[in-house]
Amino acid sequence: MEHVKQKGVPQNQYTMCWLDYKRCEDEEYLKKVIPFISNIFILDNNYYFRNAALELKEAIKNIFGVEPNIQTTSYLDFHHGTLIGKLGNEVIEKFLEKEEKEQIGNEGFLIKVVATKTQNIILLVAKTESGIIYGTFELINRLRVKSNLSSLYIIENPKAPLRVINHWDNMDGSIERGYAGSSIFFSNNRVKRSLKRVRDYARLLASIGINGVVINNVNVRGKAIWLITPKYLPELSEIAETFRLYGIKLYISINFASPIYIGGLSTADPLDPDVFKWWQETVKTIYSYIPDFGGFLVKADSEFNPGPYVYGRSHADGANMLARTLLPYGGVVIWRAFVYNCLQDWRDTKTDRAKAAYENFKPLDGEFLDNVVLQIKYGPMDFQVREPVSPLFGGMEKTNQMIELQITQEYTGQQIHLCYLGTLWKEILEFDTYCKGKGSYIKRIVDGSLFGWKYCGFAGVSNIGSSINWTGHDLAQANLWTFGKLAWNPDRSVEDIAKEWILLTFGDDKKVVENILWMLLNSHRIYEKYTTPLGLGWMVNPGHHYGPNPEGYEYSKWGTYHRADTKAIGVDRTSKGTGYTLQYHPHWQKIFDDIEKCPENLLLFFHRVPYTYRLKSGKTLIQFMYDSHFEGAEEVDVLIQKWEELRGKIDEDIFNRVSERLKMQKEHAIEWRDVINTYFYRKTGIPDEKGRLIYP
Ligand code: GCV
């Protein structure tokens, strides 16, 4: 089953997702709000403030049909309007209490309403330009959902310092694991000339609090190796400027062997002085074009990418060498922990891909420089529909860490299937590692508070492209939205985050909100049921990774991930098996080791289990498999029905696009059900207790 290719669209023919402002029809609200928004006063008159004010003005015009004046002159009528200014500005400070000022962090903001007989003022205050732009979008959103102005009072600061989107965009315009058209940055081995779409993208990202973007694929091949040279830097500096206006820094993925490819050196050995000098010069040149350049993202020694191992050096040697070159400019090295030998021989029972990241990096804890951040995929394998949380979180106290989440739906339905990932991400973030006793949650590790790290946070692999709705599936926009919102504040509930997205995207019709919320919150569970429940993972077609293939795996000639035979399935990763569980804190080790205590949704990840084993429900494992696949495929009908109930309440184009995808989802879910059930039936010879047709 091939994934359906998405077409891009010409400029100006795309939607703006949750930033498509619709007219407020509530006259009462309009009357109340007008005095507060008919003037916008900018108290720090610079490029960034003017941009924020223009964003607000445009939004107000579209939502309320009035065009506010933007005033930057010294004569200011502070009685009516929105005041935008930085902390330290004397006019602004008159309205603030000491404690309020202290609460506003570097990227944070305060929104406060002053309503008296003579004054109708909304104050938007921040410490930095970034805070102003984040606050502007928050204010716009609050006005759109008709927040009560008399009680509007917000102080917000992002929890995690790095909130970065990773693009796997190639310079020919293709996107590795992209399901929504082609790259908005590159085409035909060039940087795109028009930045209109990039600017709109920057607006979308700023509105969810993102502060960094890596625009090229971590697999850096061909022309992309040269992105760090003056051949491309003038164009990249324009992209950086576009993002800068919205508080977002540009990062670049690099090829570790660049000194050989570009510099003509005979080695890329990180301890070779000429290699260091070459990187130093390269970094100096980059900063001459992009003064606030964020830094490098590096995939080294993994899936055929070069790295320090070739020279007998460690990942710390490699990362630190680059970090030294970036340090004087405030840049960081984001080093990926997705390192494993994809060609390893699986017949050795101790060999286990799940153990690789920890084995490679744990011994290096404490060796990385302060401006190196380790970027760790949420699980030990590769963004499966369910995996346990990587034991590296909590395993490396002395190393800055970021969590890598995959917004693009490589293994979760490729934006054909509805699969809202917020529910899964929230479970991951709430996982208690116990590394510093009870309460050592992943969310506290990656926001830096548990270990007091300076650089840490969230990386999300982008799900956008040039398609009309950015994400292929219109409802997949909710995944991008949720990633940003959780990175900003992982304590928020996903119900709340998803609901806010629905209100801003589709309006406040009760049925619309209720149905879409149900669809989002249940979609991952449903997808898991008809694909690979119980932590099985994979079973997808090799290469493109879409559709069922129970024994498909591109790299191994040694067998399958799940090692199914006629009697049992799953991998024994306990301390007596591959020993993977030994990488966890003893609290989890004991739980994962014990088949009775192991969370059932991860059973086959940790244990090798006979098909006749009885689960907690009393069902045999094989019967559970059959039931899960039948039920999951059936529940897609509920998604379809919930959507169908919204006919006439949703923009027709969007309605039709989603309907079409749900129809495909149903067909493909049936294929999953039949292929997987048939596989198990053939393997085991055990029929379905309920006598349903298994062999299609
Ligand atoms: C960018 C998986 C994906 C690859 C991806 C890799 C990674 O293997 O299938 O497409 O490469 O992860 O995260 O580096």
Side-chain angles (χ1 to χ4, degrees):
M1 187 192 293
E2 269 288 356
H3 177 268
V4 185
K5 288 267 176 303
Q6 286 300 304
K7 286 212 180 70
V9 288
Q11 298 282 343
N12 298 327
Q13 290 185 16
Y14 48 87
T15 70
M16 271 308 287
C17 311
W18 54 89
L19 292 185
D20 263 332
Y21 304 134
K22 290 176 195 74
R23 184 58 62 90
C24 169
E25 307 288 353
D26 185 338
E27 290 297 322
E28 278 302 299
Y29 190 70
L30 181 63
K31 252 191 251 155
K32 277 190 213 148
V33 94
I34 285 270
F36 293 90
I37 57 170
S38 45
N39 291 303
I40 300 171
F41 301 108
I42 320 177
L43 299 182
D44 292 80
N45 187 10
N46 70 28
Y47 187 47
Y48 302 96
F49 276 72
R50 281 197 297 278
N51 183 50
L54 284 170
E55 279 290 344
L56 185 58
K57 176 178 169 159
E58 198 52 29
I60 290 171
K61 207 168 85 182
N62 283 293
I63 304 162
F64 300 111
V66 295
E67 195 157 342
N69 294 313
I70 297 182
Q71 304 201 26
T72 57
T73 57
S74 51
Y75 171 72
L76 300 172
D77 167 15
F78 288 134
H79 295 285
H80 305 288
T82 302
L83 291 188
I84 305 181
K86 260 201 216 170
L87 273 183
N89 179 294
E90 59 178 320
V91 179
I92 284 281
E93 298 238 341
K94 272 193 209 143
F95 292 98
L96 302 179
E97 304 293 332
K98 186 167 169 279
E99 302 76 60
E100 287 177 320
K101 289 191 257 178
E102 284 166 4
Q103 282 180 60
I104 307 175
N106 257 344
E107 295 179 284
F109 57 84
L110 170 144
I111 298 172
K112 175 175 171 173
V113 170
V114 181
T116 65
K117 274 198 188 126
T118 54
Q119 288 178 312
N120 293 297
I121 294 173
I122 298 176
L123 283 174
L124 168 55
V125 188
K127 227 181 197 166
T128 60
E129 278 72 12
S130 310
I132 291 293
I133 195 74
Y134 297 141
T136 300
F137 281 111
E138 184 63 31
L139 176 59
I140 293 170
N141 288 346
R142 295 295 172 123
L143 294 172
R144 290 174 68 198
V145 297
K146 296 191 284 185
S147 292
N148 182 351
L149 286 189
S150 55
S151 57
L152 187 63
Y153 183 81
I154 307 165
I155 299 185
E156 287 255 348
N157 290 295
K159 290 255 176 9
L162 296 173
R163 305 176 303 282
V164 181
I165 299 288
N166 290 187
H167 283 266
W168 288 353
D169 292 23
N170 300 314
M171 290 201 58
D172 62 1
S174 64
I175 304 178
E176 184 156 347
R177 313 305 176 192
Y179 312 109
S182 51
S183 170
I184 63 166
F185 302 110
F186 308 111
S187 73
N188 296 320
N189 285 319
R190 306 180 64 130
V191 177
K192 280 191 173 175
R193 289 310 303 150
S194 166
L195 294 183
K196 161 88 177 68
R197 188 116 193 201
V198 173
R199 187 179 171 122
D200 279 336
Y201 182 47
R203 298 176 59 226
L204 285 170
L205 293 188
S207 74
I208 53 173
I210 296 298
N211 67 358
V213 60
V214 189
I215 58 170
N216 65 312
N217 191 353
V218 286
N219 294 321
V220 188
R221 313 256 153 84
K223 294 267 192 305
I225 302 174
W226 269 260
L227 279 172
I228 50 178
T229 68
K231 188 168 161 38
Y232 293 108
L233 285 169
E235 286 152 333
L236 292 195
S237 86
E238 285 174 29
I239 294 186
E241 193 178 329
T242 308
F243 279 121
R244 187 176 305 126
L245 204 48
Y246 289 91
I248 299 162
K249 280 188 181 177
L250 183 79
Y251 296 69
I252 303 176
S253 298
I254 54 137
N255 183 308
F256 195 76
S258 297
I260 300 175
Y261 289 121
I262 307 172
L265 302 188
S266 59
T267 178
D269 181 350
L271 299 192
D272 184 299
D274 287 337
V275 169
F276 177 68
K277 222 164 117 216
W278 185 86
W279 278 111
Q280 231 178 1
E281 282 305 309
T282 300
V283 165
K284 191 171 161 201
T285 310
I286 296 174
Y287 278 92
S288 71
Y289 285 92
I290 309 169
D292 62 342
F293 178 62
F296 295 139
L297 173 64
V298 194
K299 172 174 177 177
D301 291 315
S302 178
E303 295 182 341
F304 313 112
N305 286 277
Y309 279 169
V310 186
Y311 308 99
R313 312 295 185 200
S314 73
H315 284 272
D317 293 331
N320 290 347
M321 181 272 294
L322 293 170
R324 281 192 193 97
T325 68
L326 290 158
L327 191 65
Y329 309 94
V332 298
V333 175
I334 304 177
W335 194 269
R336 293 179 87 224
F338 183 64
V339 175
Y340 71 105
N341 171 11
C342 57
L343 302 175
Q344 68 190 184
D345 184 345
W346 293 29
R347 289 168 302 179
D348 162 11
T349 53
K350 290 285 170 194
T351 300
D352 182 1
R353 174 171 165 180
K355 288 176 8 186
Y358 191 93
E359 281 173 348
N360 277 293
F361 287 94
K362 170 73 183 168
L364 301 177
D365 194 20
E367 289 188 21
F368 291 97
L369 292 179
D370 286 350
N371 62 330
V372 176
V373 194
L374 203 58
Q375 182 169 304
I376 305 166
K377 286 192 180 183
Y378 89 79
M381 297 296 242
D382 192 11
F383 300 133
Q384 296 307 293
V385 65
R386 189 172 299 277
E387 291 180 39
V389 166
S390 168
L392 267 181
F393 299 110
M396 294 180 75
E397 302 189 5
K398 296 179 222 122
T399 308
N400 294 315
Q401 295 183 0
M402 286 172 89
I403 189 166
E404 184 175 320
L405 301 171
Q406 198 181 38
I407 315 171
T408 193
Q409 292 172 234
E410 176 178 0
Y411 295 99
T412 49
Q414 305 199 349
Q415 280 133 258
I416 292 295
H417 299 238
L418 175 63
C419 190
Y420 175 66
L421 296 165
T423 39
L424 171 71
W425 296 338
K426 184 68 180 168
E427 276 183 48
I428 294 160
L429 293 167
E430 295 295 339
F431 180 81
D432 190 349
T433 62
Y434 278 81
C435 64
K436 269 185 107 183
K438 205 168 159 36
S440 305
Y441 302 110
I442 297 287
K443 62 183 179 182
R444 293 290 86 88
I445 293 176
V446 298
D447 72 12
S449 57
L450 196 72
F451 296 120
W453 295 328
K454 179 168 175 203
Y455 295 112
C456 48
F458 289 70
V461 182
S462 162
N463 65 346
I464 71 108
S466 61
S467 67
I468 193 164
N469 53 9
W470 298 84
T471 52
H473 198 309
D474 287 79
L475 301 186
Q477 292 167 8
N479 283 330
L480 177 58
W481 164 270
T482 302
F483 172 80
K485 291 288 170 181
L486 278 178
W488 182 276
N489 180 5
D491 290 325
R492 264 186 89 181
S493 86
V494 276
E495 285 81 359
D496 188 37
I497 291 174
K499 195 166 165 201
E500 193 186 354
W501 175 77
I502 299 167
L503 288 170
L504 294 171
T505 309
F506 296 107
D508 60 1
D509 180 283
K510 200 166 162 281
K511 188 82 182 152
V512 169
V513 176
E514 199 180 285
N515 283 22
I516 300 181
L517 192 60
W518 192 95
M519 292 171 74
L520 293 180
L521 297 182
N522 287 282
S523 55
H524 177 265
R525 181 183 61 76
I526 294 173
Y527 183 80
E528 185 177 21
K529 277 177 104 170
Y530 64 75
T531 56
T532 53
L534 304 179
L536 255 185
W538 269 283
M539 290 196 154
V540 290
N541 282 303
H544 59 68
H545 295 169
Y546 190 76
N549 184 336
E551 299 203 341
Y553 181 41
E554 50 261 66
Y555 293 125
S556 180
K557 46 180 188 263
W558 312 119
T560 59
Y561 276 99
H562 46 73
R563 308 186 193 180
D565 62 19
T566 57
K567 298 278 176 270
I569 185 167
V571 181
D572 180 359
R573 294 197 161 94
T574 64
S575 40
K576 296 201 183 88
T578 70
Y580 168 71
T581 55
L582 296 169
Q583 297 181 345
Y584 287 92
H585 184 278
H587 172 87
W588 284 110
Q589 217 179 82
K590 278 189 220 121
I591 293 175
F592 292 146
D593 261 358
D594 184 342
I595 193 166
E596 295 297 320
K597 295 202 179 112
C598 177
E600 218 156 61
N601 58 14
L602 287 169
L603 185 70
L604 301 181
F605 189 93
F606 284 107
H607 294 273
R608 180 154 187 81
V609 184
Y611 296 105
T612 49
Y613 175 81
R614 289 210 180 263
L615 301 175
K616 299 209 174 67
S617 60
K619 273 185 198 178
T620 59
L621 173 64
I622 186 70
Q623 192 54 41
F624 175 91
M625 278 295 176
Y626 294 146
D627 286 352
S628 177
H629 285 86
F630 278 114
E631 282 165 22
E634 255 165 49
E635 283 177 50
V636 178
D637 289 335
V638 185
L639 295 175
I640 293 174
Q641 178 211 323
K642 296 261 179 210
W643 187 250
E644 195 50 46
E645 283 168 13
L646 306 182
R647 189 181 280 279
K649 288 176 178 281
I650 301 265
D651 170 276
E652 208 182 321
D653 288 342
I654 298 179
F655 184 85
N656 291 336
R657 279 200 298 265
V658 172
S659 297
E660 204 186 304
R661 295 212 167 205
L662 287 169
K663 198 168 146 244
M664 280 193 266
Q665 179 172 2
K666 176 71 191 179
E667 282 163 21
H668 299 177
I670 289 174
E671 185 179 339
W672 266 100
R673 178 196 73 191
D674 292 343
V675 171
I676 304 296
N677 281 349
T678 306
Y679 177 76
F680 283 123
Y681 178 55
R682 283 189 180 155
K683 270 260 175 256
T684 63
I686 304 173
D688 171 37
E689 276 171 9
K690 297 176 185 157
R692 287 163 294 196
L693 181 68
I694 282 190
Y695 196 101

